[in-house]
Amino acid sequence: MLTAAVLLPLVGALVAWIVPDNRLRPLVLPAVAVPHFLLTLALLAWTPPPSPQGWIFLDPLGKIVLLCISTLFLICAVYAVGYLAYRRDRSNRVLCMGLLACLSAMTLVTASQHLGLLWVAVETTTVTMAPLIYFNRNARSIEATWKYLLICSVGIALALLGLFFLAYATLVAHRDATLLLGPILASARELNPGWLHASFIFMLVGFGSKMGIAPLHSWKPDAYGEAPGLVGALLAGGLVNCAFLAILRVYQISLASGGEYLFFQKALLTMGLISMGLAAVFMARQADFKRMLAYSSVEHVGILAVALGLGKGALFGALFHLLNNGLTKGVLFLSSGNIHRSFNSKSTEVVRGALARLPWSAGLFLAGFIAITGSPPFSPFVSEFSIVSSAFVEGRYLVGGLFLFFLAVIFIGMALTVLPLVMGVPPADAERTDYRDRLLTVGPPLALLGLILMLGVWLPEPLLRLLGEGAALLEAKP
């Protein structure tokens, strides 16, 4: 089943390349996304044994990320049918192929137990997403694409150096050089501390740049701002989670090493708080509402890093927040994509009174803002509350206090942008287009909103158990 989940999107990409009709090609996306989602549910229920060499295995951490990615892709695939029907002025062949190839690579990331294979899969997601950012084919989108490629490629090269250092640490310890997670965890206490320390630094910087944590986030505002909404949703909820899974693998090794995890936790705490602080500064009075969402993503990768740095009780919150952030970003990016197309602008000076023109999309954007800022009854409130309460329980009052302060500033900053955007009357000189709310462009983000609302008031037992198993894996000591 796992092989089928990786290969199915590649077959879909081939079909998308063959289909000549620009109107029929987007239908390949949901045609692949539905069986992929069903395969994901089957994999969660009946996990196959590890591959003969142990390179492929879907552990609880991989399952959580795969569930988020597959759910988000299904929603985006349905949305794409409605969105691309409006954008028939340009070919969607590269977009459809790239989305499906990226889904295959992201699925492989979740199942990789060999760090070299994981690195290849993460790099593949970078390459397959690049042409999708250039979909609008203008000067700003090509600039965003190059910046994304350049910074992520440098980051991923640094991660490769970190992997080399990790492999060399096993040689120095007179063991066979390997990048398989199981043997590394088993021998982590015997590895050379100096090389291990260096490998952690390079991998944190490398995968951190892919994740977009500050100060390695500079590609995000341009890429998120210029990419179509559905691509932005998959960048924020798919690729970020893949990079975070790579960070989780490094975290597991640091825990197993015994002495290095305190350094790694402090580094995560520091970078996480810097990310939240930077997002708080740049989100206030943001002139481009899609760039505002990019800084919101910087904030939430910061929250994930802080939770991982706190450890213990915050680990459950981190894994739950990984899921919540991905799904909520889907609501925000898909609804913001509708608003962008209707006004043909992303400027907050031009886009005003969106509720009057797009009542469903603007309402979803407003609800998404409430959810992503950690307000009840949505699920991000539950995960953020569990993280900050863990900080106070563990006596980390400064961390907890800064966490709450940044959340409050970010709430005010986003409200100053979002409320004028959706309320009031559209400017008389605002461009009028024929883009309006339609079932296929409103239904998918509405379904996501219903999901995060449900998770905010009721957590299904299988998901609760899966999150608990994932958190326990991060606490495990070999």
Side-chain angles (χ1 to χ4, degrees), residues 1 5 8 30-46 70-71 74:
M1 281 193 293
L8 177 66
V32 171
V34 170
H36 187 275
F37 180 71
L38 295 175
L39 277 172
T40 298
L41 294 181
L43 286 166
L44 296 185
W46 301 286
S70 189
T71 305
L74 174 60

mmCIF file of all heavy atoms in Angstrom, residues 1 5 8 30-46 70-71 74:
data_model
loop_
_atom_site.group_PDB
_atom_site.id
_atom_site.type_symbol
_atom_site.label_atom_id
_atom_site.label_comp_id
_atom_site.label_asym_id
_atom_site.label_seq_id
_atom_site.Cartn_x
_atom_site.Cartn_y
_atom_site.Cartn_z
ATOM 1 N N MET A 1 0.830 -1.217 0.000
ATOM 2 C CA MET A 1 0.000 0.000 0.000
ATOM 3 C C MET A 1 0.860 1.261 0.000
ATOM 4 O O MET A 1 0.523 2.254 -0.635
ATOM 5 C CB MET A 1 -0.909 0.000 1.236
ATOM 6 C CG MET A 1 -2.127 -0.876 1.116
ATOM 7 S SD MET A 1 -3.331 -0.563 2.416
ATOM 8 C CE MET A 1 -2.449 -1.140 3.853
ATOM 9 N N ALA A 5 0.921 4.328 -2.595
ATOM 10 C CA ALA A 5 0.692 5.732 -2.220
ATOM 11 C C ALA A 5 1.770 6.652 -2.792
ATOM 12 O O ALA A 5 1.509 7.825 -3.056
ATOM 13 C CB ALA A 5 0.656 5.855 -0.694
ATOM 14 N N LEU A 8 1.216 6.156 -7.115
ATOM 15 C CA LEU A 8 -0.050 6.620 -7.691
ATOM 16 C C LEU A 8 0.016 8.078 -8.174
ATOM 17 O O LEU A 8 -0.401 8.371 -9.307
ATOM 18 C CB LEU A 8 -1.177 6.431 -6.667
ATOM 19 C CG LEU A 8 -2.560 6.926 -7.088
ATOM 20 C CD1 LEU A 8 -3.096 6.107 -8.257
ATOM 21 C CD2 LEU A 8 -3.541 6.860 -5.914
ATOM 22 N N PRO A 30 -8.272 15.483 -8.418
ATOM 23 C CA PRO A 30 -9.119 14.748 -7.460
ATOM 24 C C PRO A 30 -9.189 13.250 -7.750
ATOM 25 O O PRO A 30 -9.368 12.444 -6.831
ATOM 26 C CB PRO A 30 -10.505 15.404 -7.612
ATOM 27 C CG PRO A 30 -10.468 16.123 -8.898
ATOM 28 C CD PRO A 30 -9.048 16.495 -9.150
ATOM 29 N N ALA A 31 -9.018 12.873 -9.037
ATOM 30 C CA ALA A 31 -9.048 11.446 -9.384
ATOM 31 C C ALA A 31 -7.886 10.701 -8.710
ATOM 32 O O ALA A 31 -8.003 9.502 -8.431
ATOM 33 C CB ALA A 31 -8.974 11.277 -10.901
ATOM 34 N N VAL A 32 -6.786 11.386 -8.465
ATOM 35 C CA VAL A 32 -5.656 10.786 -7.747
ATOM 36 C C VAL A 32 -5.780 11.021 -6.246
ATOM 37 O O VAL A 32 -5.472 10.144 -5.430
ATOM 38 C CB VAL A 32 -4.322 11.366 -8.274
ATOM 39 C CG1 VAL A 32 -3.154 10.918 -7.406
ATOM 40 C CG2 VAL A 32 -4.097 10.951 -9.720
ATOM 41 N N ALA A 33 -6.241 12.222 -5.881
ATOM 42 C CA ALA A 33 -6.272 12.599 -4.453
ATOM 43 C C ALA A 33 -7.214 11.707 -3.646
ATOM 44 O O ALA A 33 -6.913 11.364 -2.499
ATOM 45 C CB ALA A 33 -6.681 14.059 -4.312
ATOM 46 N N VAL A 34 -8.354 11.333 -4.242
ATOM 47 C CA VAL A 34 -9.322 10.506 -3.495
ATOM 48 C C VAL A 34 -8.742 9.133 -3.143
ATOM 49 O O VAL A 34 -8.737 8.734 -1.969
ATOM 50 C CB VAL A 34 -10.654 10.381 -4.278
ATOM 51 C CG1 VAL A 34 -11.555 9.348 -3.630
ATOM 52 C CG2 VAL A 34 -11.360 11.737 -4.329
ATOM 53 N N PRO A 35 -8.215 8.351 -4.135
ATOM 54 C CA PRO A 35 -7.622 7.056 -3.747
ATOM 55 C C PRO A 35 -6.398 7.220 -2.849
ATOM 56 O O PRO A 35 -6.143 6.355 -2.006
ATOM 57 C CB PRO A 35 -7.264 6.406 -5.085
ATOM 58 C CG PRO A 35 -7.303 7.476 -6.097
ATOM 59 C CD PRO A 35 -8.261 8.497 -5.600
ATOM 60 N N HIS A 36 -5.633 8.319 -3.034
ATOM 61 C CA HIS A 36 -4.469 8.531 -2.147
ATOM 62 C C HIS A 36 -4.929 8.723 -0.711
ATOM 63 O O HIS A 36 -4.330 8.181 0.229
ATOM 64 C CB HIS A 36 -3.673 9.754 -2.616
ATOM 65 C CG HIS A 36 -2.387 9.962 -1.877
ATOM 66 N ND1 HIS A 36 -2.317 10.649 -0.674
ATOM 67 C CD2 HIS A 36 -1.119 9.548 -2.129
ATOM 68 C CE1 HIS A 36 -1.061 10.658 -0.243
ATOM 69 N NE2 HIS A 36 -0.317 10.000 -1.105
ATOM 70 N N PHE A 37 -6.002 9.465 -0.520
ATOM 71 C CA PHE A 37 -6.536 9.689 0.829
ATOM 72 C C PHE A 37 -7.047 8.373 1.423
ATOM 73 O O PHE A 37 -6.822 8.084 2.606
ATOM 74 C CB PHE A 37 -7.658 10.729 0.771
ATOM 75 C CG PHE A 37 -8.272 11.035 2.105
ATOM 76 C CD1 PHE A 37 -7.568 11.748 3.067
ATOM 77 C CD2 PHE A 37 -9.560 10.598 2.419
ATOM 78 C CE1 PHE A 37 -8.129 12.025 4.306
ATOM 79 C CE2 PHE A 37 -10.124 10.874 3.646
ATOM 80 C CZ PHE A 37 -9.409 11.591 4.591
ATOM 81 N N LEU A 38 -7.724 7.566 0.591
ATOM 82 C CA LEU A 38 -8.217 6.260 1.077
ATOM 83 C C LEU A 38 -7.047 5.339 1.435
ATOM 84 O O LEU A 38 -7.099 4.615 2.446
ATOM 85 C CB LEU A 38 -9.111 5.613 0.018
ATOM 86 C CG LEU A 38 -10.418 6.369 -0.297
ATOM 87 C CD1 LEU A 38 -11.166 5.712 -1.442
ATOM 88 C CD2 LEU A 38 -11.303 6.439 0.956
ATOM 89 N N LEU A 39 -5.989 5.379 0.621
ATOM 90 C CA LEU A 39 -4.785 4.591 0.935
ATOM 91 C C LEU A 39 -4.167 5.056 2.252
ATOM 92 O O LEU A 39 -3.696 4.249 3.063
ATOM 93 C CB LEU A 39 -3.762 4.735 -0.193
ATOM 94 C CG LEU A 39 -3.930 3.824 -1.411
ATOM 95 C CD1 LEU A 39 -2.956 4.241 -2.514
ATOM 96 C CD2 LEU A 39 -3.688 2.368 -1.022
ATOM 97 N N THR A 40 -4.179 6.366 2.469
ATOM 98 C CA THR A 40 -3.631 6.915 3.712
ATOM 99 C C THR A 40 -4.408 6.400 4.919
ATOM 100 O O THR A 40 -3.820 5.977 5.924
ATOM 101 C CB THR A 40 -3.675 8.459 3.685
ATOM 102 O OG1 THR A 40 -2.848 8.914 2.611
ATOM 103 C CG2 THR A 40 -3.179 9.054 4.987
ATOM 104 N N LEU A 41 -5.737 6.418 4.813
ATOM 105 C CA LEU A 41 -6.557 5.900 5.920
ATOM 106 C C LEU A 41 -6.271 4.421 6.155
ATOM 107 O O LEU A 41 -6.199 3.967 7.307
ATOM 108 C CB LEU A 41 -8.042 6.113 5.604
ATOM 109 C CG LEU A 41 -8.516 7.575 5.541
ATOM 110 C CD1 LEU A 41 -10.014 7.623 5.249
ATOM 111 C CD2 LEU A 41 -8.213 8.322 6.834
ATOM 112 N N ALA A 42 -6.095 3.676 5.059
ATOM 113 C CA ALA A 42 -5.790 2.242 5.196
ATOM 114 C C ALA A 42 -4.423 2.045 5.854
ATOM 115 O O ALA A 42 -4.248 1.150 6.694
ATOM 116 C CB ALA A 42 -5.814 1.582 3.817
ATOM 117 N N LEU A 43 -3.450 2.893 5.501
ATOM 118 C CA LEU A 43 -2.107 2.789 6.096
ATOM 119 C C LEU A 43 -2.126 3.126 7.582
ATOM 120 O O LEU A 43 -1.352 2.578 8.372
ATOM 121 C CB LEU A 43 -1.134 3.717 5.362
ATOM 122 C CG LEU A 43 -0.686 3.247 3.972
ATOM 123 C CD1 LEU A 43 -0.013 4.376 3.209
ATOM 124 C CD2 LEU A 43 0.258 2.065 4.120
ATOM 125 N N LEU A 44 -3.014 4.042 7.961
ATOM 126 C CA LEU A 44 -3.118 4.383 9.386
ATOM 127 C C LEU A 44 -3.703 3.213 10.174
ATOM 128 O O LEU A 44 -3.335 2.976 11.331
ATOM 129 C CB LEU A 44 -4.003 5.621 9.570
ATOM 130 C CG LEU A 44 -3.491 6.924 8.958
ATOM 131 C CD1 LEU A 44 -4.401 8.074 9.333
ATOM 132 C CD2 LEU A 44 -2.076 7.229 9.408
ATOM 133 N N ALA A 45 -4.603 2.487 9.536
ATOM 134 C CA ALA A 45 -5.268 1.368 10.229
ATOM 135 C C ALA A 45 -4.428 0.091 10.195
ATOM 136 O O ALA A 45 -4.353 -0.634 11.188
ATOM 137 C CB ALA A 45 -6.637 1.119 9.599
ATOM 138 N N TRP A 46 -3.790 -0.187 9.044
ATOM 139 C CA TRP A 46 -2.999 -1.427 8.883
ATOM 140 C C TRP A 46 -1.603 -1.055 8.380
ATOM 141 O O TRP A 46 -1.352 -1.023 7.171
ATOM 142 C CB TRP A 46 -3.677 -2.368 7.900
ATOM 143 C CG TRP A 46 -5.058 -2.760 8.308
ATOM 144 C CD1 TRP A 46 -5.401 -3.635 9.293
ATOM 145 C CD2 TRP A 46 -6.289 -2.262 7.763
ATOM 146 N NE1 TRP A 46 -6.756 -3.707 9.399
ATOM 147 C CE2 TRP A 46 -7.335 -2.882 8.467
ATOM 148 C CE3 TRP A 46 -6.602 -1.359 6.749
ATOM 149 C CZ2 TRP A 46 -8.665 -2.620 8.194
ATOM 150 C CZ3 TRP A 46 -7.922 -1.093 6.478
ATOM 151 C CH2 TRP A 46 -8.932 -1.722 7.185
ATOM 152 N N SER A 70 -2.197 14.408 3.025
ATOM 153 C CA SER A 70 -3.187 13.784 2.142
ATOM 154 C C SER A 70 -4.538 14.493 2.241
ATOM 155 O O SER A 70 -5.221 14.693 1.224
ATOM 156 C CB SER A 70 -3.336 12.304 2.505
ATOM 157 O OG SER A 70 -4.124 11.648 1.545
ATOM 158 N N THR A 71 -4.932 14.866 3.465
ATOM 159 C CA THR A 71 -6.200 15.582 3.645
ATOM 160 C C THR A 71 -6.155 16.934 2.946
ATOM 161 O O THR A 71 -7.088 17.307 2.217
ATOM 162 C CB THR A 71 -6.480 15.796 5.150
ATOM 163 O OG1 THR A 71 -6.441 14.542 5.826
ATOM 164 C CG2 THR A 71 -7.833 16.445 5.369
ATOM 165 N N LEU A 74 -6.222 16.595 -0.878
ATOM 166 C CA LEU A 74 -7.564 16.268 -1.383
ATOM 167 C C LEU A 74 -8.421 17.526 -1.500
ATOM 168 O O LEU A 74 -9.096 17.758 -2.514
ATOM 169 C CB LEU A 74 -8.228 15.246 -0.453
ATOM 170 C CG LEU A 74 -9.690 14.899 -0.753
ATOM 171 C CD1 LEU A 74 -9.833 14.303 -2.143
ATOM 172 C CD2 LEU A 74 -10.249 13.934 0.290
#
